[in-house]
Amino acid sequence: GAVFVYHLGYDPPRLVGSFYGDDRKDKLGRALSLATDRDGDGLPELLVAVPGARGRAGREAGRVEARTFTGRLLQTFEGPTARARLGDD
């Protein structure tokens, strides 16, 4: 999967960040949400679901990543068991 972040205050909109999954089956970007500022820059962060990701718990444990709008990874939360698919519906 892939996520592209645009600033809509420009005409045309301006790409400010993009990031890609580690594997085509990881489904990065399946769900997105905003989170409160985690890095102190005064801007919200983006929570990105990666439900097909392999984790320490095993295959398809899934994960949710906290990222800046430019794509910098701030924190990762992994599924507790294999096939938990954290971040899926």
Side-chain angles (χ1 to χ4, degrees), residues 1-2 20-29 50-53 85:
Y20 302 86
D22 298 327
D23 182 275
R24 67 183 187 94
K25 295 180 182 179
D26 67 9
K27 299 185 180 176
L28 180 132
V50 194
R85 300 188 58 79

Side-chain angles (χ1 to χ4, degrees), residues 26-32 47-53 60-65 77-80 83-89:
D26 67 9
K27 299 185 180 176
L28 180 132
R30 168 87 178 209
L32 302 171
L47 296 178
V48 181
V50 194
E60 294 182 358
R63 71 175 178 262
V64 172
E65 301 173 347
F77 307 91
E78 289 192 2
R83 300 192 193 279
R85 300 188 58 79
L86 183 67
D88 208 354
D89 295 341

Side-chain angles (χ1 to χ4, degrees), residues 64-68 71-76:
V64 172
E65 301 173 347
R67 290 183 173 266
T68 65
R72 185 167 56 94
L73 182 63
L74 299 173
Q75 193 169 5
T76 301

Side-chain angles (χ1 to χ4, degrees), residues 28-68:
L28 180 132
R30 168 87 178 209
L32 302 171
S33 184
L34 292 178
T36 57
D37 181 22
R38 302 188 67 79
D39 63 356
D41 66 358
L43 299 172
E45 313 307 350
L46 191 59
L47 296 178
V48 181
V50 194
R54 176 181 278 290
R56 289 184 293 266
R59 185 175 174 194
E60 294 182 358
R63 71 175 178 262
V64 172
E65 301 173 347
R67 290 183 173 266
T68 65

